Amino acid sequence: MSEDMLDRLLEKLDLVQKVRLLSGATTWRTAGERTIGLREMVTSDGPAGVRGEAWDERLTSALLPSASAIGALWDEDLTEELGGLLASEAVRKGVDVVLAPTLNLHRTPLGGRHFECFSEDPVLTGRTGAALIRGIQAAGVAATAKHYVANDSETGRMHVDVRASERVLREVYLAPFEAAVEAGVWLVMAGYNGVNGATMTASPLLAEPLKGDWGFDGVVVSDWGALRSATEPALAALDLAMPGPQGPWEASLVQAVKDGHVPEAAVDEKVRRLLRLARRVGALESDRPPRTPALGPDGTRSLLRRTVAAASVLLTNRGVLPLDALSLPRVAVIGVHAACPRVQGGGSAGVFPSRVVTPLEGIRARLDGLAEVVHVSGPGPGIPPAPLGTGWCSDPRSGEPGVLVRLLDGAGRELHTEHRLSGAQLEPPVTPAARTVEISALLRPPSTGAWTFAVAGFGRMSLTLDGRTILDGEFPCTTDDPAVVHVNPPRHTVRATVDTTEPVLLTARRELVPGAGRATIVAAAPPEPDAAAALAAAVRAARDADAVIVVVGTTEHTETEGHDRGDLSLGGHQDALVRAVAAANRNTIAVVNSGGPVELPWRDEVGAVLLTWFPGQEAGTGLADILFGDAEPGGRLPTTWAAALADAPVTHAHPVDGRLAYTEGVHIGHRAWLLTGRRPAYWFGHGLGYTTWEYGTVHVPAEVTEGSPFTVRVQVRNTGDRPGREVVQVYLARPHSAVERPVRWFAGYAAVHAEPGAWAVAAVQVPAHALRHWSEAEKAWRTEPGTYQIMVGRSADDLAWRGVLPLRGRTG
Ligand code: BGC
């Protein structure tokens, strides 16, 4: 359908019909319009997977590794395949618009949504995001570049006003969005935050550079609930207000047009964009293509398994990895995370995985018949109680594993009952007369002692254990952050003694009142083992083993949307655990299961440190492939990791008087480390494989011309005895620049594969953009002629080759 035909459809609509299309019909659907054959379009969160329209644990999804892991791939082909998987999942779930990728940056290691973003670097983020977008959209499903822009931390995210110069925005924070628009993204999501005094849904940045300079022809959608008024966002080029119904536009945009505050042409332009989106995803009945998911369960699993290995970053290896499965009679797998890994971060991106292979299961399967595998949990990692599940809970009515959910009216009469698999009920099927939601389960306690129980939600809540009230209180809602209200409300914990291993009845009740959200979560944790005894057991297991794999990590609560982190420690006794087992066995491999940076104070005491991020559903299969050498760990750090939080150059994420000043300017990530002269634990770009490489001749053009891209050719030889993949990186510098520049900046990369002893040539394409800077004075991009430095190597710090690059001005 041509653009002209979209205009014909538009002409058929009156003002009321047009305005109705600009707000959500439901939480996840846009409005449809029968008279022009437009159906509702379904949106769903990404980027970890596609949940679909409901928060229902029975409707499972393929769970990808976290975005930080995808940022570690440095592999656009594989990223595109993952985009294809998201599209396939979207098709399976009837979703038209995937709310991914997140293109904000790892500005500080404390960012609560760090796991959901790719990298600290605008170029790597842009390239990775563009690849994911291409992969999603190739299947006729829309991608959404979010959150436009400078939504890089969570503290006060609904109202924070980020202060950054136009140069910093253009060169750093807007750059990945520019790459997304170049890749043809169909939606951009305006964030909750403000930039330089304007809230993003009403920001001039929506018009310029997004729709003007860059020529974005898609839909600008608000983040969920970000629209606070009607007129300013309508004038500022926002197109679609989500969710609905009853958003500010529905209430007053028609009147604002009638009163002459908003020209009808502005409304027409928004509807035109929405119809263009509808055409692209096939929501205009006449041209809807038939859709079948491209990937079945087997294809999904093997892609995700491959991705775990390709994204895991081998930070240190003292000759311990890969392990030889045939010469290890006994392997100790240690740590709570080995059996209960964190496979995803917290917040709106969460999905219910169709399956999870734990590290322990993966290792056991790989060593089946070859070696004895012993698992010891060690002392608790300080994980808060987990929502009731199917483990040791059963529905008190049916006896089936899981919980019973009941809705009661004001007189306590039962209106609805349902058997569910989880104590986290984010959207119980509320009926108008319902006043109370109740979740109950028969708990079969695996051990007696002081249990920890928790309820989460807002309003009046209580918790009873065999009829005895152990918690009862009023918990008013004090935030307007939807991710906190609807997904991750604060937990209220209570300790209670359970002195029997006979079933006990746990019942949580929450009163349903307007404005208190729908989430009700009931959680429990058995008594923690005595830390000293658990540590001693872990040390014994380590001493008796031929190799030790100790898995440590963060929790869903430390890395989650809605909150920034307070520190970078692993928590609990995890550091002591790694130290103790490493002292007992030199063959100790520490596997780090976190979405973002953590302090690894024992990193020089272990045989190897392997970072697997939040690895998604194939955590264990992918890990076993790496550990036993069936696959090479392929990841490179997309973000510099500090040895200690105190060393990190950019940590301020707390607004002062509502403002968050990006005082570091263009110096974020490795650029900031280089500027301060401090040394991190691991640099941007770092990561080891299982072979070694020699760098040979580097060919750089004798001269480049302003505005022209160029190619750097680097010969590398695989000097080890296994095939491998090397990621060759190029950095630029301009020491005597007339403008302030980073000490050096990342310009591009290329990966090559080579057999043992073989040479390969990495051709790194450097875009013309890499040399330009934004001139505040001229409000335009400029490129300084003269000599640049160019560096080639394996990380922001390991740059064995350095040369010069003369640049000729277009007129010079
Ligand atoms: C998040 C978005 C998400 C939206 C819908 C918001 O709270 O910031 O990333 O897409 O909710 O779940």
Side-chain angles (χ1 to χ4, degrees):
M1 184 180 286
S2 67
E3 288 286 310
D4 279 354
M5 287 166 87
L6 295 185
D7 279 341
R8 298 294 88 75
L9 294 182
L10 182 60
E11 282 159 14
K12 291 186 187 161
L13 304 176
D14 63 24
L15 179 63
V16 172
Q17 286 172 312
K18 286 188 282 195
V19 165
R20 208 178 60 81
L21 291 181
L22 301 181
S23 298
T26 70
T27 307
W28 302 113
R29 285 179 178 242
T30 64
E33 179 56 65
R34 217 170 269 172
T35 51
I36 56 167
L38 170 68
R39 66 169 170 82
E40 296 178 345
M41 289 179 276
V42 179
T43 67
S44 173
D45 268 307
V50 181
R51 194 175 52 246
E53 280 186 272
W55 282 97
D56 186 325
E57 72 285 355
R58 297 163 297 187
L59 306 175
T60 60
S61 309
L63 175 60
L64 281 70
S66 54
S68 48
I70 295 172
L73 291 173
W74 301 61
D75 184 339
E76 283 141 297
D77 292 341
L78 182 50
T79 305
E80 231 175 289
E81 277 190 66
L82 293 167
L85 170 57
L86 287 173
S88 173
E89 286 287 279
V91 167
R92 188 168 69 83
K93 292 189 168 242
V95 166
D96 301 291
V97 176
V98 177
L99 304 174
T102 304
L103 297 181
N104 303 115
L105 297 182
H106 294 163
R107 176 176 169 267
T108 114
L110 296 172
R113 270 178 120 166
H114 196 109
F115 68 89
E116 210 186 303
C117 309
F118 297 123
S119 165
E120 70 187 12
D121 187 84
V123 173
L124 184 63
T125 300
R127 284 180 63 168
T128 309
L132 202 80
I133 290 164
R134 287 194 299 269
I136 296 173
Q137 295 192 166
V141 173
T144 310
K146 69 186 189 185
H147 313 81
Y148 188 83
V149 61
N151 184 181
D152 308 291
S153 46
E154 296 294 280
T155 308
R157 70 170 178 152
M158 301 301 288
H159 304 281
V160 60
D161 180 21
V162 169
R163 296 282 157 157
S165 70
E166 185 164 9
R167 174 165 183 220
V168 169
L169 290 173
R170 290 270 188 166
E171 290 188 18
V172 183
Y173 297 95
L174 286 168
F177 290 93
E178 187 175 5
V181 173
E182 275 168 20
V185 74
W186 292 342
L187 290 98
V188 168
M189 184 189 285
Y192 293 123
N193 59 303
V195 172
N196 295 333
T199 190
M200 278 316 303
T201 46
S203 166
L205 292 167
L206 300 180
E208 231 20 285
L210 179 62
K211 288 185 174 174
D213 231 13
W214 301 347
F216 174 62
D217 69 355
V219 169
V220 179
V221 58
S222 72
D223 199 344
W224 265 229
L227 204 70
R228 298 182 185 108
S229 63
T231 309
E232 294 81 4
L235 293 172
L238 188 90
D239 299 313
L240 174 63
M242 288 298 285
Q246 287 156 10
W249 273 355
E250 264 169 276
S252 49
L253 188 52
V254 170
Q255 198 54 46
V257 175
K258 286 185 179 157
D259 293 346
H261 299 313
V262 176
E264 188 159 353
V267 170
D268 288 351
E269 175 56 15
K270 297 175 200 308
V271 176
R272 191 175 292 114
R273 285 169 180 267
L274 201 82
L275 293 177
R276 193 176 293 137
L277 173 66
R279 182 188 66 198
R280 286 170 165 165
V281 300
L284 291 163
E285 271 166 9
S286 54
D287 57 7
R288 185 179 186 191
R291 306 201 301 174
T292 41
L295 278 166
D298 291 346
T300 299
R301 285 174 193 171
S302 72
L303 171 59
L304 293 178
R305 176 175 184 166
R306 210 155 34 92
T307 306
V308 172
S312 292
V313 184
L314 182 56
L315 294 171
T316 306
N317 187 10
R318 299 188 171 79
V320 173
L321 281 177
L323 295 169
D324 178 1
L326 300 175
S327 65
L328 298 168
R330 181 192 276 245
V331 172
V333 179
I334 294 175
V336 171
H337 282 75
C340 301
R342 286 302 332 151
V343 288
Q344 60 183 324
S348 58
V351 301
F352 302 98
S354 30
R355 70 170 203 159
V356 171
V357 183
T358 69
L360 181 60
E361 288 164 345
I363 294 166
R364 283 217 161 111
R366 178 61 178 77
L367 295 181
D368 189 27
L370 297 175
E372 184 190 353
V373 177
V374 181
H375 175 237
V376 180
S377 291
I383 294 181
L388 304 185
T390 50
W392 20 260
C393 298
S394 57
D395 181 327
R397 269 197 197 156
S398 67
E400 287 175 73
V403 305
L404 174 70
V405 176
R406 296 200 308 151
L407 292 173
L408 311 173
D409 71 7
R413 279 186 301 256
E414 197 171 278
L415 300 173
H416 174 86
T417 68
E418 208 176 347
H419 170 69
R420 298 293 293 256
L421 307 176
S422 167
Q425 291 298 318
L426 304 185
E427 287 176 342
V430 174
T431 55
R435 293 291 170 271
T436 303
V437 57
E438 180 194 275
I439 303 173
S440 61
L442 271 180
L443 230 70
R444 276 167 284 102
S447 55
T448 59
W451 278 61
T452 311
F453 297 100
V455 279
F458 292 102
R460 188 170 189 89
M461 293 191 291
S462 69
L463 203 51
T464 60
L465 197 59
D466 268 346
R468 174 168 59 101
T469 302
I470 55 173
L471 184 145
D472 189 3
E474 185 72 41
F475 304 97
C477 182
T478 52
T479 173
D480 55 354
D481 187 330
V484 178
V485 178
H486 301 294
V487 184
N488 199 8
R491 298 197 175 190
H492 306 282
T493 55
V494 58
R495 305 258 281 178
T497 302
V498 176
D499 50 15
T500 171
T501 50
E502 292 297 306
V504 289
L505 180 67
L506 180 68
T507 306
R509 284 203 185 92
R510 189 171 78 89
E511 280 178 17
L512 294 165
V513 286
R518 292 178 67 182
T520 313
I521 301 172
V522 51
E528 291 233 329
D530 173 66
L535 195 63
V539 168
R540 272 197 307 278
R543 200 174 292 138
D544 294 346
D546 301 287
V548 178
I549 297 146
V550 54
V551 188
V552 288
T554 55
T555 71
E556 187 184 334
H557 302 277
T558 42
E559 295 191 73
T560 186
E561 180 178 345
H563 303 279
D564 288 317
R565 293 161 74 186
D567 60 46
L568 299 183
S569 76
L570 277 167
H573 303 273
Q574 296 189 90
D575 289 333
L577 174 68
V578 180
R579 282 209 152 106
V581 298
N585 191 323
R586 292 180 52 229
N587 260 353
T588 291
I589 297 138
V591 175
V592 180
N593 176 195
S594 71
V598 282
E599 291 167 351
L600 309 171
W602 34 259
R603 65 190 182 283
D604 294 329
E605 299 164 36
V606 292
V609 184
L610 179 69
L611 165 62
T612 59
W613 310 102
F614 290 142
Q617 67 174 60
E618 298 301 322
T621 46
L623 174 65
D625 287 344
I626 302 171
L627 293 175
F628 302 102
D630 303 324
E632 188 184 40
R636 301 291 184 269
L637 277 183
T639 287
T640 307
W641 275 38
L645 175 60
D647 303 340
V650 182
T651 53
H652 60 284
H654 283 253
V656 177
D657 296 332
R659 292 181 177 187
L660 180 59
Y662 283 16
T663 47
E664 68 284 355
V666 294
H667 309 281
I668 79 156
H670 53 283
R671 303 168 175 192
W673 287 90
L674 290 164
L675 188 72
T676 57
R678 295 184 208 163
R679 293 200 64 80
Y682 303 106
W683 286 94
F684 172 79
H686 170 73
L688 308 169
Y690 283 159
T691 186
T692 48
W693 296 89
E694 174 193 330
Y695 276 55
T697 315
V698 174
H699 178 261
V700 172
E703 187 180 63
V704 293
T705 315
E706 179 188 345
S708 307
F710 61 96
T711 304
V712 180
R713 285 178 211 284
V714 185
Q715 282 197 321
V716 291
R717 189 168 78 93
N718 180 348
T719 51
D721 55 9
R722 291 178 50 113
R725 176 179 183 264
E726 176 68 347
V727 179
V728 177
Q729 303 164 34
V730 171
Y731 295 79
L732 293 166
R734 172 99 171 136
H736 304 294
S737 172
V739 287
E740 187 190 353
R741 292 276 200 164
V743 176
R744 59 176 164 270
W745 63 95
F746 174 66
Y749 73 94
V752 287
H753 291 265
E755 293 297 315
W759 285 96
V761 177
V764 182
Q765 317 282 350
V766 181
H769 286 175
L771 293 158
R772 69 184 185 175
H773 67 272
W774 180 260
S775 161
E776 297 273 4
E778 297 168 75
K779 297 219 163 295
W781 291 106
R782 291 286 174 255
T783 304
E784 285 181 300
T787 302
Y788 289 73
Q789 288 182 350
I790 182 160
M791 287 144 274
V792 173
R794 323 191 68 216
S795 79
D797 182 57
D798 181 358
L799 297 165
W801 187 91
R802 286 162 193 251
V804 291
L805 181 77
L807 180 129
R808 189 159 42 89
R810 246 193 292 247
T811 51

